[in-house]
Amino acid sequence: MATNQELSNTKEEPSLILDSSKNKASESGEMDEVREENGRLKLVLSNMMKDYKTLQQRIDNISADHHQHEKNNRNDKDTADSSHEEDDLVSLSLGRSSSLEAKNKDQLSLKVKKNDEDDRDNLDHGLALRLDGRSYEFSSEHDDSGVSRNQSPRKIEGEAANDQTREPRKDAKTSRSGDDENVLQQHPAKKARVSVRAICSGPTMNDGCQWRKYGQKKAKGNPCPRAYYRCTMSPSCPVRKHVQRCPENMSILITTYEGTHNHPLPPAATAMASTTCAAVSMLKASSTSTSQPSFSFPSTTSTNMINSPPLYVPNTTVSTFQSHPTITLDLTTPSASSRYNKYSSSFFPTPQPISSYSPVACLNFSAPSSSLSSSFEHWRNHNVVSSSSTSTYCGTQLVTFPSKTPIYQPHSYPTPNKNTYDPTHQPHFSTEKIAAATKEITSNPSFQNALAAAISSIVGRGGGVAESKESHLGAASASNLMNGASTAVSSISRQAENLKFELSPLASSSEGPLDGFTKKGEYKK
DNA sequence: CGCATTTGACCCGCGC
DNA sequence: GCGCGGGTCAAATGCG
């Protein structure tokens, strides 16, 4: 980039010379000199371009070699002690280890090539977040090759999950083959989590994804058991969530998400995925998560924030919950500025409303472009209207579902969830209602203020965000945010029209009974 | 019968 | 080192 800028500057020189020469003499001889000069500069320019391309090519090669080198290193050291493992980890974190930096200039140049945040993030957030970003990368890798096709779906699922979301249980027991997956599994990564609190009458909050319950456990200090789910939309999807009712208020469901979807998401799921993705992005951007709960995000002051202003997402807090960097979105708190803050988030157990920015921030979290409306709509339908439950996404979720991608029809979703996946199943509302709702929303000063604030905050940080995203996640979310910002204004009215206040039954998703409640609604434990 | 859920056992990390 | 608690596995069970 800098090179391009230099080039463009260089290009301007001739014209300047031309101007001055015009003033001084009109003889053709001087013009010829100028032309010659121009030609020389063009030559220089082309040479620089060549050099630039050459360097870029070398960087690419180095990058590829670097990857291969890492793999080999990890295989070699697989059985080494933890300190060696740490070295490996460090090597994965660009710019994090001085030893790595000293290894060779190639890697150094590679780092230079990377975005600033890459380094910054790694330095500030440490392993967990770095791995978080990594998991994002490996998600796609996984699809390509990661898993043997001969393996049973269950095994694939398990390995992928270990791979990306948690420290594997079995690894210590099973053979350490030294392949990438095992190496990854050794990383005691504490992935970022996103916790969502919402009022939900159903067993779980319908987030648009397809989940399968794989365990239930009674957590200490909570009479209600915690249910564990994993995403089943893709056999190798590492995303998991656990759902638990708030002991203080049984109507509140706390859902915690962890991991990154490695498959396209239905529009309905994209809303939550986008939101959580952005939330985690915020988490990264804030860099300084505290060990104290109820950390109000926007008020966070960190070195990173200077470079990358925080998103103003209301009712959002960051903490290190159980060693996991966790960001909590509270959809239960009635908000400070308006009812629309329901779309926002806050922290639990002591929500700290952030006032005016909320609603829009959520809008911005929605998927880019055309899916914005539907995403938001879904989000609203299930988290505002329908129910009150809290969900927690751990980590990030891939937000790549193109608007034209076929909608995934979860086979296991009960009828009520149809609305989630097929817009045609959405309840219909009279145009009067829609118009009224639209008017109400768009005319609400709080909404307008929030929208303006959110857009300005996003646009204002645009450069920093766009240039500083370090991981794929960061890139994705930044891009989403920017897209959201750019489309927010034009789509606001459309969104408002899409708002369906209602009336739709609170969606409890396909997941089985939660918190000890049986499918029949009986409390079991 | 196939699939999802339930549930006890197990593993692992962490704090004391 | 030990116990506790979170998280996962996998056999048993239930349901459509």
Side-chain angles (χ1 to χ4, degrees), chain A residues 62-63 66-67 70 87-98 100-101 104 106-124 126-127 130-131 134 137 470-472:
Chain A
I62 288 165
S63 179
H66 177 70
H67 265 282
E70 270 184 8
D87 285 343
D88 288 340
L89 293 175
V90 168
S91 73
L92 294 173
S93 303
L94 294 173
R96 188 167 181 260
S97 161
S98 58
L100 174 66
E101 289 174 350
N104 59 55
D106 290 345
Q107 289 182 12
L108 212 58
S109 63
L110 175 62
K111 283 190 290 182
V112 171
K113 180 67 180 175
K114 296 254 179 184
N115 292 328
D116 289 347
E117 307 93 90
D118 218 339
D119 295 337
R120 219 175 46 215
D121 243 77
N122 289 324
L123 290 169
D124 292 340
L127 263 184
R130 176 60 211 155
L131 288 172
R134 248 166 59 89
E137 285 182 348
E470 116 224 15
S471 63
H472 294 267

Side-chain angles (χ1 to χ4, degrees), chain A residues 337 341 355-361 445-455:
Chain A
S337 60
N341 279 341
S355 78
S356 56
Y357 297 103
S358 64
V360 187
S446 296
F447 176 79
Q448 292 171 353
N449 291 339
L451 175 62
I455 292 175

